[in-house]
């Protein structure tokens, strides 16, 4: 098998994870890092050992041309995704595009349609959908392990310091210089909970979404939301409710919860861990492997493997992003609803951990669970 040359656009921040992953695959002889696109070139100390001296340029198209790369990994600010993806597609370069794929549904369609017209492969970076737990859970559902599925919940209680919102000009923004960003808790850090819940419900495509209800709030001094919940009504007749916060008291592992008439399945998607609880059985716990999405893209090009996360498989997620984009600005929580942990320099919403778990458990929104700091809902798209 020949080595596949790669260009990485965006090598700082989350891009560092991609550098390490590319090094792992390069050590196996699968890929070679041919170029890095950054506005400011990486210093020698920023390039992991073993990756050599890749060509560097701030001009993405020129770098693709000069390196002849077959694959581009795009891990840049959200508003740049569509234009960079189309730049790669115009050159016949396949891509792994970080989530969220775009800041609006129109930009998503422009990207997806342009990539399809160019005939190149595009993988969207929802790593949780590479988990072998996903097909295993689908098989459990198909076999009726927990009876008929009545709905799906998702819960994410994370913590981020105030400095998290100072890491980049677009962090925590809904718009920047008149351009949509939509960097909220449901669309970026805990986007996997939304996308994975929709996928396990069998409603991953845009046409599977019939209604979106939102409660968008913030404890931090930002434009976007950091404590929110969404309830998606799907064409299957089931609801997918995801509650998320970056202001947890005790941060925990996010999970998706499949509710059946005779049991439930809990999937801790970052750990590839599954708990099956069903009538007349003791609890059963499983751990699964995971297919790396970049390796899957390479295997698609070299061996014809099916891509795991094509753009249209994120259409339902993008309908949620669009509803959040069009919603009124998030409501600031009253000062009485949050407190600052000075030693951690982060804001905490007391009681939010239990509220997030209850939303996933009952498929109810914060307001329906008695959270007094939620204003009357007006948003339904």
């Amino acid at each position: 098998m020949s080595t596949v040359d790669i260009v990485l656009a965006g090598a700082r921040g989350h891009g560092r994870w991609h550098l390490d992953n590319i090094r792992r695959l390069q050590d196996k002889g699968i890929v070679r890092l041919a170029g890095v696109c950054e506005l400011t070139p990486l210093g020698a100390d920023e390039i992991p050992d073993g990756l050599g001296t890749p060509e560097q340029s701030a001009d993405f198209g020129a770098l693709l041309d000069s390196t002849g790369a077959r694959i581009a990994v795009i891990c840049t600010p959200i508003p740049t995704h569509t234009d960079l993806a189309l730049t790669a597609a115009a050159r016949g370069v396949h891509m792994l595009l970080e989530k969220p794929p775009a800041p609006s549904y129109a930009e998503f369609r422009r990207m997806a349609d342009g990539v399809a017209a160019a005939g190149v492969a595009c993988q969207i970076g929802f790593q949780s959908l590479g988990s072998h737990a996903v097909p295993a859970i689908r098989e459990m559902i198909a076999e009726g392990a927990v009876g008929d599925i009545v709905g799906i919940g998702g819960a994410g209680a994370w913590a981020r310091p105030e400095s998290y919102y100072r890491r980049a000009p677009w962090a925590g923004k809904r718009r920047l210089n008149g351009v949509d960003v939509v960097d909220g808790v449901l669309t970026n850090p805990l986007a996997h909970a939304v996308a994975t819940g929709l996928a396990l419900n069998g409603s991953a495509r845009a046409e599977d979404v019939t209604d979106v209800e939102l409660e968008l709030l913030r404890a931090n001094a930002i434009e976007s939301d950091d404590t929110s919940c969404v309830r998606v009504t799907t064409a299957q007749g089931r609801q997918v409710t995801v509650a998320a916060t970056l202001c947890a008291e005790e941060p925990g592992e996010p999970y998706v919860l499949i509710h059946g008439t005779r049991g439930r399945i809990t999937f801790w998607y970052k750990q590839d861990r599954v708990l099956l609880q069903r009538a007349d059985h003791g609890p059963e716990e499983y751990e699964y492997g995971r297919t790396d999405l970049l390796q899957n893209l390479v295997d698609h090009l070299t061996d014809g493997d099916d891509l795991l996360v094509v753009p249209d498989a994120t259409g339902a997620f993008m309908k949620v992003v669009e509803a959040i984009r069009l919603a009124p600005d998030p409501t600031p929580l009253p000062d009485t609803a949050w407190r600052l942990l000075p030693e951690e320099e982060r804001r905490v919403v007391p009681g939010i951990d239990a509220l997030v778990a209850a939303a996933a458990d009952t498929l109810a929104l914060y307001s329906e669970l008695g959270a007094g700091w939620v204003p009357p809902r007006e948003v339904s798209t």
Side-chain angles (χ1 to χ4, degrees), residues 33-77:
L33 183 63
V36 171
C37 182
E38 267 289 356
L39 296 179
T40 305
L42 298 186
D45 60 331
E46 294 180 282
I47 300 175
D49 290 342
L51 285 178
T53 53
E55 186 177 338
Q56 297 201 56
S57 172
D59 187 326
F60 183 55
L63 189 60
L64 293 177
D65 291 339
S66 62
T67 59
R70 255 188 109 188
I71 290 177
V73 176
I74 300 172
C75 184
T76 54

Side-chain angles (χ1 to χ4, degrees), residues 161-177:
E162 292 177 320
S163 60
Y164 174 76
Y165 298 105
R166 298 192 294 269
R167 74 192 192 281
W170 54 269
K173 294 286 198 300
R174 280 171 69 75
R175 294 170 199 87
L176 183 64
N177 300 325

Side-chain angles (χ1 to χ4, degrees), residues 5 105 109 142 222 259 370:
D5 281 357
Y105 192 74
R109 281 269 46 104
I222 56 175
H259 296 274

Side-chain angles (χ1 to χ4, degrees), residues 107-130:
E107 283 291 274
F108 169 69
R109 281 269 46 104
R110 187 164 74 89
M111 179 277 296
D113 293 344
V115 163
V120 297
C122 178
Q123 179 102 283
I124 306 298
F126 282 107
Q127 294 288 342
S128 59
L129 299 181

